[in-house]
Amino acid sequence: MEILTCPKCQGNQITKSGVINNKQRYLCKKCKYFFTVNKIGKKIDDYYVTKALQLYLEGLSYREIERIIGVSHVTVSNWVKAFNIKKPSHANYHPTYKIFNHLELVEHLKNKELLSGAGMIITELGDKFMLIKWERFKD
């Protein structure tokens, strides 16, 4: 794998500068930064990023999103900061959520009493469905 640019300054004045842990070390002559091969890292599917941001906007906390999607709450927080997402204030509403499989969701939606008196949204979450419901705080 040939490295063409410096990861710090994106300069292209790079020379080999030894070997560390059987990896080629490089030196950027422009900013004097030493580095080895590019870090590949773990890429999370954009579907989960979008879903996490949607859930955040629906009023769920970082830790609730962590439990649902399986991505660290710190990662979700970083996504919110990176995309400059601002949560609207829901002072009079309280979101609750439930996760159902298809048959459970159908049975839940048959009960009209559970559907009235609140706004709700159903979103797909892998092979399950999440029902988010907003109810006004009781005075």
Side-chain angles (χ1 to χ4, degrees):
M1 171 190 283
E2 186 63 32
I3 299 184
L4 303 175
T5 61
C6 171
K8 187 173 180 182
C9 72
Q10 279 68 47
N12 57 1
Q13 301 171 356
I14 295 173
T15 60
K16 291 184 177 182
S17 183
V19 176
I20 294 180
N21 294 331
N22 296 325
K23 293 181 183 177
Q24 180 63 54
R25 185 178 187 202
Y26 297 93
L27 168 67
C28 175
K29 289 190 171 196
K30 185 176 178 184
C31 68
K32 306 293 187 223
Y33 182 68
F34 288 95
F35 59 96
T36 57
V37 295
N38 285 337
K39 184 177 176 184
I40 294 173
K42 182 177 157 185
K43 176 81 169 105
I44 297 176
D45 189 6
D46 289 340
Y47 169 81
Y48 293 105
V49 177
T50 304
K51 195 57 70 175
L53 295 175
Q54 285 175 344
L55 295 175
Y56 175 76
L57 285 172
E58 299 302 336
L60 275 66
S61 70
Y62 294 139
R63 291 196 186 260
E64 289 172 320
I65 297 168
E66 174 183 34
R67 286 188 287 271
I68 293 165
I69 295 182
V71 176
S72 166
H73 65 278
V74 176
T75 301
V76 175
S77 172
N78 290 338
W79 290 338
V80 168
K81 289 175 188 170
F83 290 102
N84 199 19
I85 305 292
K86 302 287 186 226
K87 187 189 292 191
S89 63
H90 296 293
N92 297 332
Y93 293 92
H94 175 61
T96 58
Y97 66 92
K98 293 182 182 175
I99 298 176
F100 299 107
N101 65 30
H102 181 260
L103 294 175
E104 292 170 337
L105 180 63
V106 170
E107 288 300 317
H108 184 80
L109 293 176
K110 285 181 181 178
N111 188 346
K112 188 174 181 177
E113 293 173 5
L114 296 175
L115 301 179
S116 62
M120 72 175 65
I121 188 170
I122 299 170
T123 184
E124 182 183 8
L125 196 61
D127 62 342
K128 303 224 185 259
F129 297 92
M130 173 184 272
L131 182 130
I132 303 171
K133 193 173 181 181
W134 297 272
E135 297 177 306
R136 284 191 185 267
F137 285 118
K138 307 288 190 232
D139 290 334

